[in-house]
Amino acid sequence: IDKFDEDAMTLKEEIYHKMYEDIVSGNYAPNDIITEASLIAKYKVSKSPIREALIELCKDGVLQSLPRLGYQVVPVSLKEVLDVIDFRIDVELAGLKRSFGNLDEGNLRELEKIAHIPEKELENPKWDRNLNFHTSLYELSDNQYGLLELQKVMRENERFLSQHFQSAWTSASMHTMGFHDEIIDALRKGNLEKALGFLEADIRAIKDEILKRYSFFGGS
């Protein structure tokens, strides 16, 4: 999935995107309060696009409005994180089953380009590269509605992980870097079951890592 085209954005969409990225990157922590006045000063724009962006972020569950205080960054629960991962497994495996009969060498070569990890990223995996691979793989199922939902869910997944579990995702990714290549290799050999197994293992790895850490720190 390409980065947002900032030239095509409205001012409200640009503010929304920048705020979302700030939340995902940890510039705003869970439960932080954000005010319209601080955003107007930060972005040097009028109140209208700021308020419109805040309203959209509230609709998407990223923020919640606190009358007379501002807008609070909504904290994410462990269950929400795990539910999103389980949802991704259900959706992505179904998509691969549906697209399997229509895959060709051109599709697989494009996936290989996306799966390639530059050496500089080996110790710091990028979520956008992971997102791009999974959404591109699902896109081959030719379900536009499902693709849009998966894109949205994976962005939520990124936000959820950034709040509490970024190190768990990084650790899991270090152990599963080869899974994208394994998926492509299995598909090239016509082995759907093996490809499904690698895809599920790739998605599930972060869940296993989170549960391992949660249990270690006394979770139940």
Side-chain angles (χ1 to χ4, degrees), residues 176-193:
T176 62
M177 280 183 176
F179 278 162
H180 293 180
D181 291 330
E182 296 283 7
I183 292 166
I184 295 167
D185 184 61
L187 292 173
R188 181 171 276 126
K189 292 175 179 176
N191 192 330
L192 175 59
E193 290 307 311

Side-chain angles (χ1 to χ4, degrees), residues 138-190:
Y138 184 85
E139 189 172 11
L140 298 174
S141 69
D142 197 27
N143 184 328
Q144 188 63 27
Y145 178 83
L147 176 62
L148 292 174
E149 288 301 305
L150 181 59
Q151 291 170 359
K152 178 181 177 182
V153 163
M154 287 202 69
R155 282 299 178 191
E156 289 179 346
N157 204 172
E158 178 186 26
R159 177 170 64 90
F160 291 179
L161 294 174
S162 72
Q163 287 197 10
H164 303 294
F165 303 112
Q166 186 63 47
S167 62
W169 180 74
T170 301
S171 178
S173 297
M174 296 293 288
H175 293 96
T176 62
M177 280 183 176
F179 278 162
H180 293 180
D181 291 330
E182 296 283 7
I183 292 166
I184 295 167
D185 184 61
L187 292 173
R188 181 171 276 126
K189 292 175 179 176

